[in-house]
Amino acid sequence: MLDLIINGNNVQVPESVTTVARLLTHFDLDRQVVVVEINGNILEKNEHKDTDVRNGDRVELVHFVGGG
């Protein structure tokens, strides 16, 4: 298991979650409506599949919800 800090909470995810894209899939989040920050760096959506997730990373996931 990998130990991550996601939105300020200690979270364990399977070691198969090796990239940001896999992290979003693990949590069933649509990458089109999520902003991802890792260790203080905001990622572009095209970086999700190539950005590794490592033990101890600080991840912020901001999910936009429409409404009216």
Side-chain angles (χ1 to χ4, degrees):
M1 298 295 277
L2 293 176
D3 294 311
L4 304 175
I5 301 170
I6 300 178
N7 295 350
N9 298 305
N10 293 322
V11 177
Q12 288 190 326
V13 296
E15 288 186 16
S16 61
V17 176
T18 57
T19 65
V20 170
R22 288 185 179 187
L23 181 68
L24 296 177
T25 299
H26 176 75
F27 287 113
D28 198 28
L29 295 172
D30 181 353
R31 72 180 196 94
Q32 297 303 319
V33 295
V34 175
V35 174
V36 180
E37 177 184 296
I38 293 190
N39 301 320
N41 298 311
I42 297 174
L43 300 178
E44 298 290 331
K45 293 186 186 333
N46 64 350
E47 296 177 294
H48 291 177
K49 65 180 168 72
D50 297 322
T51 302
D52 292 334
V53 176
R54 294 188 174 96
N55 202 44
D57 278 348
R58 297 183 72 83
V59 180
E60 293 292 325
L61 301 173
V62 180
H63 185 241
F64 293 98
V65 178

